[in-house]
Amino acid sequence: MAQKITIEPVTRVEGHGKVTIHLDDNHQVTESRLHIVEFRGFERFVCGRPFWEAPVLVQRLCGICPVSHHLAAAKAMDMLVGAGDGNGLTPVAEKMRRLMHYGQIFQSHVLHFFHLASPDLLFGMDADPERRNVIGVILEHPDLAKQAVLMRKYGQEIIAATAGKKIHGTGAVPGGINKNLSLEDRDAFLNGINGNPDLSADKMIEWSEAALALLLDYHSSHTDFLDGFATFPSNHLSLVRPDGALDLYHGVIRAVDPEGKRIVNDVDSRDYLDVVEEEVRSWSYMKFPYIKKLGPKEGWYRVGPLARLNVCDFIPSPKAQAAFEQFRAYTKGKPNHMSMHYHWARLIETLHAAEMMKELLLDPDLQGTNLVTKGERCGEGIGLLEAPRGTLFHHYRVNEQDLITMCNLIVSTTNNNEPMNRAVNAAAVAQMTGKAEITEPMMNAVEVAIRAYDPCLSCATHAMGQMPLEVTLYDAAGAVVDQQRKGM
Amino acid sequence: MSETIATASETITLTIDGQEIQAKAGQTILQAAQKNGIYIPTLCALHATKENGLKTDIAPGTCRICTVKVNGRTMAACTTPVAQDFIVENDTEELNDLRKTIVELLFVEGNHFCPSCEKSGSCDLQALAYRYQMLSPRFRYAFSSREVNAESPKLLFDRNRCILCRRCVLAITTEDGKQLFGFTKRGDKSGIIMDEELVKNISEEQAQQAMHICPVGAIIRKEKGFDTPFGQRKYDHNPIGSETVCTTCNGEKS
Ligand code: SF4
Ligand code: SF4
Ligand code: FES
């Protein structure tokens, strides 16, 4: 009898996901789907609001990386107020925003790796779920857990100092920023917050290197798992600096095919609509973007840390560059298609963010006083940014009275929708084919595949209401043969 | 009122929450309280300061948040003149609950989304909600349908946040006394309208003053926003009510 197994909810993912795995009569996986069933009408409810509210309003899309939405919207507003497209800000404004963004990348990557992904690696995917969680990490690896907490705190404090608050600040305003960095704050970040040397810029670099070393060590003993789990060829897309450097705050759009050939060649971010298009499928609220000229079948792509390192030519900070060279050499310079290597790429970026934070803190421009620029006002603003989990597109139109009339958001998770579905399917095929019984570790394998990309699904669908926590089994005719509820 | 209002030169003695204070005849209970460092919450009444540009205190008496008990009867402190031997109850559980109720009603009646509001941190209504520990409103949201008026070049008027306090009507006038804002309609249809012509020619300073006068985020300066960082907003360090006496004039009318 053909069955459909529903895993609900996907745990350690912010927001609610639902996975259905379709088995045929012989328990072979025929198809798997990641359904994003939440819906949040952000694109609609910013309409009618004055444009200067947008950077503050849209960051409620996400609890993990609000700063990314804040900055992407602010970049779009820069265009609206005639402050250029990522290049018209004063040095203090641009660098304060970059510092805010690197603080965000740093804390989010640390959260993603240590809090959400590391339990699977430290304890193994088939470990007891009672142990395989962040509390387990704290109990069995207390030093690591402490480092993770302090690293995250450091990033959050950087955000607070630049955006005004740790979550949902208002630092970026159309055309600039509303404050500079005080000398006291700068000294605290360089030497240690509240005099604690464990909370200093150098410590963040040191611990980022240690985290990367931990992963590489794990890789050496679990090579087959990390290299083989949910691996499939794909295109990769990200922003890069015009000279090809990794740049998480601003750049041109570049994409490569599975062989590394450029398929989108450094397109101005304002022309994103020439590059991507979105497809709607009946079973998910989340759209499926693809590279326009390749069409939906061939044009889907990955974004995020793995994609960024596959797309860029180099990383403009020395320690991360050295790690990048090692990463690139592993696949002989070709794009890396191993889903679990998202974590490797993520930790290289964590190191880069730590290096960038220090570099920016040492820059006296951050104490400048020229905070805002304005030029000729126009009616349309587009802001692209590399958020922790991938490229973020924000696009707005405003009327003559300054009210928003159109908003289009393509968030990182949406960009990764097709790859996440493929990763889920790859994990399901590997774990469940030929098995008669669905075990918890099998279900977790599917979640591990999702978590490599994203711990956060709610932002992508913008959520109304709570998903019931249930596991449902359907037969070929679509009748429910079993149903279990969790956490209800 | 049955109490005799004393003549201007007279000094009057009254008690507020058992504390005996002196007031001048003609002062309201609110003014007398402020002069003596006693906090009575206000939303519509506003004490004249250099900062807000008012020449005299205003007390439209529209919000009733200043409700106190005078000799056992509830009265608005901002419109009731002092009289000899008044016994005023102010900071009591009953009255504070009443005030909390008013705050809750104002929240459910309008459409307030503080997280994206430019006035957040500087808003009197929000500050009072904190003061009275409003966690969730007891009343159902009205989901009133209200438009944003963005016609004027310098001001944005967001009716979703207007609490109809009438401050703008009384305080924002041209040099020759013409009102820029006015009331329209009645009951739950009441609203504020702007004189489009006069508001079009408003100066930067007057636009700033209008935003400042409005206790909430209904009048907002256009094309700007969130310029004041967190930490520098009005109630970031001291909650509402912690400073009762105006520093520029020490509570005296100018
Ligand atoms: S006006 Fe005040 S209460 Fe209303 S949304 Fe703004 S901050 Fe909140
Ligand atoms: S606009 Fe502001 S000042 Fe005017 S009535 Fe409404 S809340 Fe009061
Ligand atoms: S402050 Fe007295 S009625 Fe509004």
Side-chain angles (χ1 to χ4, degrees), chain B residues 30 41-46 59-67 76-79 165:
Chain B
L30 176 70
T42 58
L43 272 172
C44 69
L46 188 60
T62 49
C63 75
R64 284 357 220 195
I65 196 84
C66 67
T67 299
C78 72
T79 53
C165 70

